[in-house]
RNA sequence: GGAGAGGUGGCCGAGUGGUCGAAGGCGCACGCUUGGAAAGCGUGUAGGCGGUUCUCCCGUCUCGUGGGUUCGAAUCCCAUCCUCUCCUCCA
């Protein structure tokens, strides 16, 4: 959410920033509501001052036994109160009108974010590793998984519908192994605090991180008005909602392994086969809460940690900086990590690392007191480290062998208790 | 689901109709003290919004939220959300 005062003082800058998001004449719209609201407030406060003075007069007059004076003021107050009531109603309306408007507006992107319409205009930052060559035609992950007899889309569809999967045996264990491997890395090497979070949250939490009010159709909603989280970024970031931290508390670094739920409304026809795009998937998430001066460095640190996961798994990947058209609502800048998938013969997103600046912090009242005693908004960042489902996909496709087995990456072998995944029934 | 208790400043916690935005403590900041530190002592320390002669000041709102009673409410009444305790149930 944006600071209306900042918009007032930086109208041109703000409009320029919104134009990059394909939004025009936003400042004027916001400032008109703002103007109405402030006029209303000034008017209301005048009346309140009058009322308060008259009330004081009543007390004094009574104390001095001046009943005439007291009665006169009582009548006066009664009149003013009627007008005040109307003013209050109007002020509340205008305030929520302004709020609702501001809540719909996306974050301002950093200048280094390139202009562009969609993912085709993202900029490649660097590549690590080389795409693996096979002396046979590499299969896609769903064929590998089904041939192993450990990945079942049909039975999942029977009980849950499309975009669900059942994993069994070693593939089920692989999910758990990956979660442990990633959590160990983030907690032991990056000093992140491991957290188990609620998967079901209320609407306030989602307004805080920016999923609401604009993207409700992407969420699953329960009959009692709660929502399944679409990422544990929601729960982790909300750990600091409505608090004022001390500067010495910063930074806060969290990590969580959790399931995520997305309705994938609007994704009809995309990645319909396989595990790439599911209604339910798991992810190890990183969230950092930082001092405004440190969020830039923190984003790089987070990216480094996510990359390290892929390096340890010995998977080829590239890092791209998202262009304006692909950068999410709440982000000032996003780096995606795309892993090489031999079966698809292309790089696919496996992690997304975003700096949100104070955008989310404003929405949820997450503040800290700096060393001068001033209260300021925190900066929040989030990144996947990594999406587990897509990591399974990457391992299957990159570590497949000619006979249909899948080798287990070295770092995972202690977690898997073996070196190869095979079809035991063959 | 049944019964009860409670929601106050960064935190803890007093306050049951009128100079209460709110005692006290903790924390924090600054100063004194010290060779230095701790302890001790002193001073200061809520947030939002608005105005402004804009590092000052003024006004206004805020004691979970919304409504009501009253000249006047943190304090009384109603509704609502949340938390806790006991019972019931349950992984």
């Amino acid at each position: 959410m944006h600071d209306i005062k900042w918009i007032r003082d930086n109208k041109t800058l703000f409009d320029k920033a919104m134009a990059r998001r394909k939004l025009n004449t936003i400042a004027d719209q916001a400032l008109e509501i703002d103007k109405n609201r402030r006029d209303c407030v000034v008017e209301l406060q005048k009346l309140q001052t009058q009322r308060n003075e008259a009330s004081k007069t009543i007390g004094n007059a009574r104390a001095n036994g001046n009943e005439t004076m007291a009665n006169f003021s009582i009548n006066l107050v009664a009149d003013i109160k009627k007008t005040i009531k109307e003013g209050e109603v109007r002020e509340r309306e205008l305030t929520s009108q302004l709020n609702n408007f501001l809540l719909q507006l996306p974050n301002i992107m950093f200048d280094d974010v390139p202009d562009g319409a969609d993912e085709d205009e993202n900029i490649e930052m660097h590549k690590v590793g080389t795409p693996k060559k096979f002396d046979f035609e590499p299969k896609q992950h769903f064929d590998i998984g089904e041939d192993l007899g450990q990945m079942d889309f049909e039975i999942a569809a029977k009980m849950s519908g499309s975009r669900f999967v059942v994993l069994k045996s070693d593939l089920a264990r692989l999910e758990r192994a990956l979660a442990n491997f990633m959590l160990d890395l983030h907690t032991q090497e990056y000093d992140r605090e491991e957290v188990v979070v609620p998967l079901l949250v209320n609407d306030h939490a989602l307004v805080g991180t920016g999923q609401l009010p604009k993207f409700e159709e992407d969420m699953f909603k329960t009959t009692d008005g709660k929502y399944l989280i679409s990422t544990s970024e929601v729960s982790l970031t909300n750990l600091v909602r409505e608090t004022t931290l001390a500067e010495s508390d910063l930074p806060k670094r969290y990590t969580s392994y959790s399931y995520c739920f997305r309705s994938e409304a609007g994704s009809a026809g995309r990645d319909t086969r396989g595990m790439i795009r599911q209604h339910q998937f798991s992810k190890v998430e990183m969230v950092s809460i930082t001092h405004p001066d440190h969020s830039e460095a923190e984003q790089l640190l987070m990216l480094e940690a996510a990359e390290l996961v892929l390096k340890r798994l010995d998977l080829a990947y590239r890092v791209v900086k998202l262009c304006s058209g692909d950068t999410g609502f709440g982000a000032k800048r996003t780096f995606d990590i795309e892993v090489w998938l031999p079966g698809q013969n292309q790089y696919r997103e496996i992690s997304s690392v975003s700096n949100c600046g104070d955008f989310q912090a404003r929405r949820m009242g997450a503040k800290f007191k700096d060393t001068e005693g001033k209260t300021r908004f925190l900066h929040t960042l989030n990144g996947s480290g990594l999406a587990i489902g897509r990591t399974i996909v990457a391992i299957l496709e990159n570590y497949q062998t000619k006979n249909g087995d899948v080798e287990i990456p070295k770092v995972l072998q202690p977690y898997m208790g073996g070196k190869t995944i095979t079809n035991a029934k063959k």
Side-chain angles (χ1 to χ4, degrees), chain A residues 43-91:
Chain A
E43 184 64 24
L44 180 61
Q45 291 192 354
K46 259 186 227 161
L47 291 166
Q48 286 167 330
T49 307
Q50 285 174 27
R51 179 201 59 193
N52 291 344
E53 275 163 6
S55 286
K56 232 172 253 173
T57 310
I58 295 167
N60 290 336
R62 284 256 167 90
N64 299 329
N66 189 342
E67 273 308 306
T68 322
M69 186 67 199
N71 286 329
F72 174 79
S73 292
I74 287 172
N75 288 330
L76 183 63
V77 166
D79 278 353
I80 297 173
K81 273 174 68 178
K82 251 184 240 160
T83 322
I84 285 180
K85 181 125 287 175
E86 291 164 13
E88 282 174 345
V89 169
R90 184 164 155 72
E91 197 223 312

Side-chain angles (χ1 to χ4, degrees), chain A residues 14 29 33 36 74 90 116 123 176-177 186 195 201 230 259 323 377 380 383 423:
Chain A
F14 184 74
Q29 295 178 56
I33 306 171
N36 291 338
I74 287 172
R90 184 164 155 72
I123 292 183
R176 180 160 54 90
H186 295 309
V195 186
V201 298
S230 52
Y259 277 93
C323 71
F377 286 106
T380 63
N423 187 337

Side-chain angles (χ1 to χ4, degrees), chain A residues 29-290:
Chain A
Q29 295 178 56
L31 292 179
E32 194 196 327
I33 306 171
D34 178 49
K35 178 77 169 55
N36 291 338
R37 184 181 156 272
R38 279 153 71 205
D39 288 348
C40 178
V41 166
V42 169
E43 184 64 24
L44 180 61
Q45 291 192 354
K46 259 186 227 161
L47 291 166
Q48 286 167 330
T49 307
Q50 285 174 27
R51 179 201 59 193
N52 291 344
E53 275 163 6
S55 286
K56 232 172 253 173
T57 310
I58 295 167
N60 290 336
R62 284 256 167 90
N64 299 329
N66 189 342
E67 273 308 306
T68 322
M69 186 67 199
N71 286 329
F72 174 79
S73 292
I74 287 172
N75 288 330
L76 183 63
V77 166
D79 278 353
I80 297 173
K81 273 174 68 178
K82 251 184 240 160
T83 322
I84 285 180
K85 181 125 287 175
E86 291 164 13
E88 282 174 345
V89 169
R90 184 164 155 72
E91 197 223 312
R92 216 172 306 150
E93 270 169 16
L94 288 166
T95 300
S96 76
Q97 199 183 328
L98 181 63
N99 253 326
N100 292 339
F101 184 79
L102 293 177
L103 284 172
Q104 303 271 354
L105 302 178
N107 203 351
I108 296 170
M109 292 174 286
F110 284 129
D111 289 339
D112 67 87
V113 172
D115 280 314
D118 54 36
E119 60 191 33
D120 295 333
E121 296 183 68
N122 293 340
I123 292 183
E124 183 176 299
M125 307 296 289
H126 56 273
K127 268 188 180 137
V128 174
T130 43
K132 205 162 175 175
K133 295 275 185 285
F134 292 85
D135 54 6
F136 59 94
E137 185 66 26
K139 294 190 284 191
Q140 292 215 53
H141 72 276
F142 41 83
D143 287 331
I144 302 168
E146 284 174 341
D147 289 348
L148 283 169
Q150 301 181 19
M151 186 182 289
D152 195 332
F153 293 98
E154 271 179 43
I155 191 64
K158 279 183 188 166
M159 67 178 102
S160 303
S162 65
R163 295 197 192 281
F164 286 91
V165 69
V166 168
L167 298 181
K168 296 194 276 195
S169 306
D170 282 341
L171 287 193
R173 185 167 178 176
L174 182 57
E175 147 107 21
R176 180 160 54 90
L178 282 168
N180 283 332
F181 161 64
M182 293 178 195
L183 286 171
D184 285 347
L185 190 154
H186 295 309
T187 54
Q188 290 164 19
E189 299 182 46
Y190 286 88
D191 200 30
R192 291 195 174 277
E193 184 178 8
E194 184 173 344
V195 186
V196 174
V197 297
L199 305 183
L200 227 36
V201 298
N202 62 31
D203 52 348
H204 298 292
L206 288 162
V207 168
T209 38
Q211 280 76 13
L212 291 183
K214 268 203 93 172
F215 306 102
E216 181 164 19
E217 70 280 2
D218 295 336
M219 315 287 303
F220 286 110
K221 189 176 186 178
T222 66
T223 51
D224 64 346
K226 290 189 169 54
Y227 298 81
L228 284 163
I229 58 171
S230 52
T231 159
S232 51
E233 164 202 345
V234 174
S235 312
L236 287 176
T237 308
N238 272 282
L239 287 175
V240 294
R241 81 170 292 115
E242 289 161 50
T243 54
T244 306
L245 299 172
E247 186 168 327
S248 56
D249 293 333
L250 302 174
K252 293 264 188 201
R253 296 196 173 103
Y254 300 117
T255 185
S256 175
Y257 164 66
S258 87
Y259 277 93
C260 308
F261 304 87
R262 297 188 184 174
S263 78
E264 295 297 343
S267 299
R270 296 182 69 191
D271 302 309
T272 47
R273 282 201 76 183
M275 287 179 62
I276 292 283
R277 196 176 298 276
Q278 300 266 289
H279 286 312
Q280 170 190 314
F281 62 98
S282 66
K283 185 155 59 75
V284 169
E285 181 78 359
M286 302 175 275
V287 160
S288 291
I289 311 296
T290 74

